[in-house]
Amino acid sequence: MTGAIVSAMLVLFAISVPIAISIGLASMIGLFGFTTLPAIVVPQQIYIALDKFPLAAIPFFILAGNLMEVGGLSRRLVEFARAFVGQIQGGLAATCVLTCMLFSAISGSSVATTFAVGVVLIPAMLQYGYPVGFVAALMATSAELGVIIPPSIPMILYGVATQTSIPQLFLAGILPGLMIAGALLLTALVWCRIRGWGKRDGEGCLPRLTAIRRAIWALLMPVLIMGGIYGGITTPTEASVIAVIYAMVVGLFLHREMTWTDLINAFRKSVVTSAVIMFIIGTASLMGYLLNRQGVPDAAALWLTNTFDGPVSLMLAINAMLFVIGMFIETGASIIVLAPILQDAAARVGIAPVHFGTVMVVNLALGMITPPLGVNLFAAAQIAGCSVTQMLKPLMVFVGVVVLCLLVISFVPAVSMTLPSLIGR
């Protein structure tokens, strides 16, 4: 049955059937063709998968990110970042990375970060003479921070799939996110200095005090979210609701840039995005249920630990496998199906669940910036008005930087485990 499910799924992927439908159809082929289970198992397993309180945080964080975009908060974050780093050569490139890092601490989604920050910064960078391929590649890669720095939607999915503490996963993502942001920022600045780009980036920057004053409500938002979670006041789900209310109040009544039409459009966009993610979670869980009945997780974990008998070799093998999988399968679906299997294998050689979760999320995030299914690439290309082909040369450099950071995160557990061990509860 396992071979039939996997083969059917790959064939459906190859003919461009949407991911959630491919997974669902492949699962039903396995269910009806190779088992005697009743059809009621399909809605039952999908319902069980979605009937989890932490998953409610996903649509709310998506909505909060969309409300920030239409409410002027994302533009003020750009102004804030530019006021501090815009005066140096390559300052707009540095602003791109820094703003994505700040926005990631609110949205939890890399695609939302790409659109919210990209619509402001990509035209500005093109206006100041940056090559379009470089601009789009930097934007897509920087937005990847949206799924690493908390709150992170993939980390919520990993926590739900493996019964791992979501607050500890959030803490584990902070230092890796900062490390990747720092590496991308340094790479962009050196590149701009070598190629002579961005010499006029300081033109039009706001004074720092003015930028802080204009961005104060946006800067307080991540403090409110993460402070509530780690202060023991709110759960991640409750914090996501507070983020929505905060973004709505600021956009409508403080900045007064959000109209009621904008509000309705943000809700509509968030509903569509959330429905797609939830559909993927439901169908991927159905597949996971069928594979589990066949003993695939235990067999796979046993094979991995027998074949790669040490943490170093196992981590290298899993990283290589996840890198390839991330290029073809959506991050949420990969986590729901693979996380329980791979975490079991990692636990057998002494790799902590929180550490492994961070590695898995960072690795699969690379799939968002690698063809053929790199969603960030298509989002950035759409905003920049270029093709993905034009992005490939600079993209290879940025992907290489992230891969080097991934190897450090994989083999230096302290990078992800220091904060959970100090602050975690």
Side-chain angles (χ1 to χ4, degrees):
M1 181 179 76
T2 302
I5 291 176
V6 173
S7 299
M9 183 177 66
L10 293 177
V11 169
L12 291 168
F13 283 165
I15 60 176
S16 301
V17 176
I19 291 172
I21 296 175
S22 297
I23 296 172
L25 288 176
S27 299
M28 284 189 279
I29 288 172
L31 177 70
F32 298 129
F34 298 91
T35 75
T36 58
L37 293 171
I40 192 65
V41 166
V42 176
Q44 181 187 63
Q45 291 303 313
I46 291 176
Y47 177 82
I48 291 172
L50 298 179
D51 187 27
K52 293 180 173 65
F53 183 69
L55 290 179
I58 294 175
F60 284 113
F61 277 129
I62 291 172
L63 177 57
N66 288 330
L67 291 174
M68 284 189 66
E69 180 183 350
V70 298
L73 281 81
S74 57
R75 179 169 51 78
R76 284 168 164 78
L77 286 177
V78 172
E79 292 173 350
F80 169 80
R82 193 178 177 199
F84 282 84
V85 298
Q87 293 85 355
I88 59 178
Q89 183 177 344
L92 274 174
T95 299
C96 178
V97 179
L98 184 57
T99 307
C100 286
M101 185 181 73
L102 294 171
F103 194 85
S104 298
I106 301 162
S107 73
S109 166
S110 66
V111 178
T113 303
T114 304
F115 279 108
V117 179
V119 294
V120 180
L121 266 178
I122 286 178
M125 294 179 72
L126 294 177
Q127 179 183 347
Y128 279 79
Y130 286 86
V132 66
F134 173 86
V135 170
L138 179 63
M139 184 71 251
T141 310
S142 301
E144 181 197 24
L145 296 168
V147 299
I148 301 170
I149 294 176
S152 161
I153 290 172
M155 284 186 176
I156 294 173
L157 294 178
Y158 180 90
V160 171
T162 62
Q163 303 301 305
T164 303
S165 167
I166 293 174
Q168 287 213 346
L169 286 168
F170 280 1
L171 280 172
I174 294 175
L175 292 183
L178 292 176
M179 181 178 70
I180 293 171
L184 289 174
L185 193 150
L186 181 62
T187 302
L189 287 177
V190 170
W191 200 337
C192 290
R193 182 61 60 92
I194 293 172
R195 300 301 296 270
W197 301 330
K199 293 182 178 180
R200 300 186 298 112
D201 285 1
E203 297 175 5
C205 290
L206 292 176
R208 291 179 179 177
L209 288 178
T210 302
I212 293 173
R213 178 178 56 80
R214 286 176 54 82
I216 188 64
W217 295 112
L219 295 171
L220 285 175
M221 196 169 179
V223 176
L224 181 69
I225 295 171
M226 305 313 295
I229 294 173
Y230 297 115
I233 301 170
T234 65
T235 65
T237 303
E238 292 163 348
S240 68
V241 177
I242 293 171
V244 168
I245 296 172
Y246 184 92
M248 195 182 307
V249 170
V250 171
L252 285 172
F253 304 113
L254 297 177
H255 291 167
R256 297 182 180 179
E257 293 187 20
M258 185 192 305
T259 66
W260 293 106
T261 301
D262 292 331
L263 182 64
I264 292 170
N265 289 336
F267 269 90
R268 182 183 295 113
K269 182 179 177 182
S270 301
V271 166
V272 172
T273 305
S274 302
V276 170
I277 293 174
M278 293 301 181
F279 192 18
I280 291 172
I281 293 170
T283 54
S285 296
L286 173 62
M287 178 179 287
Y289 167 78
L290 295 173
L291 296 179
N292 192 55
R293 280 180 58 90
Q294 293 290 305
V296 172
D298 290 336
L302 184 62
W303 179 82
L304 282 169
T305 51
N306 287 340
T307 306
F308 308 98
D309 55 359
V312 174
S313 60
L314 179 65
M315 191 69 89
L316 281 172
I318 289 177
N319 270 323
M321 181 182 70
L322 289 176
F323 183 79
V324 175
I325 288 172
M327 294 172 66
F328 298 96
I329 302 178
E330 195 270 339
T331 301
S334 301
I335 289 173
I336 294 295
V337 174
L338 296 175
I341 301 172
L342 298 180
Q343 181 184 275
D344 188 24
R348 295 185 187 203
V349 295
I351 300 172
V354 172
H355 174 214
F356 183 74
T358 308
V359 171
M360 187 171 190
V361 169
V362 172
N363 194 314
L364 289 174
L366 281 165
M368 299 176 180
I369 56 171
T370 50
L373 297 178
V375 289
N376 283 15
L377 299 184
F378 298 111
Q382 179 182 338
I383 299 168
C386 69
S387 67
V388 173
T389 305
Q390 291 175 272
M391 302 165 59
L392 290 181
K393 285 186 178 179
L395 184 67
M396 290 173 63
V397 175
F398 293 130
V399 169
V401 170
V402 178
V403 168
L404 289 175
C405 291
L406 172 63
L407 292 176
V408 173
I409 296 164
S410 298
F411 300 112
V412 185
V415 176
S416 54
M417 295 303 295
T418 297
L419 290 182
S421 64
L422 294 175
I423 310 173
R425 54 191 174 94

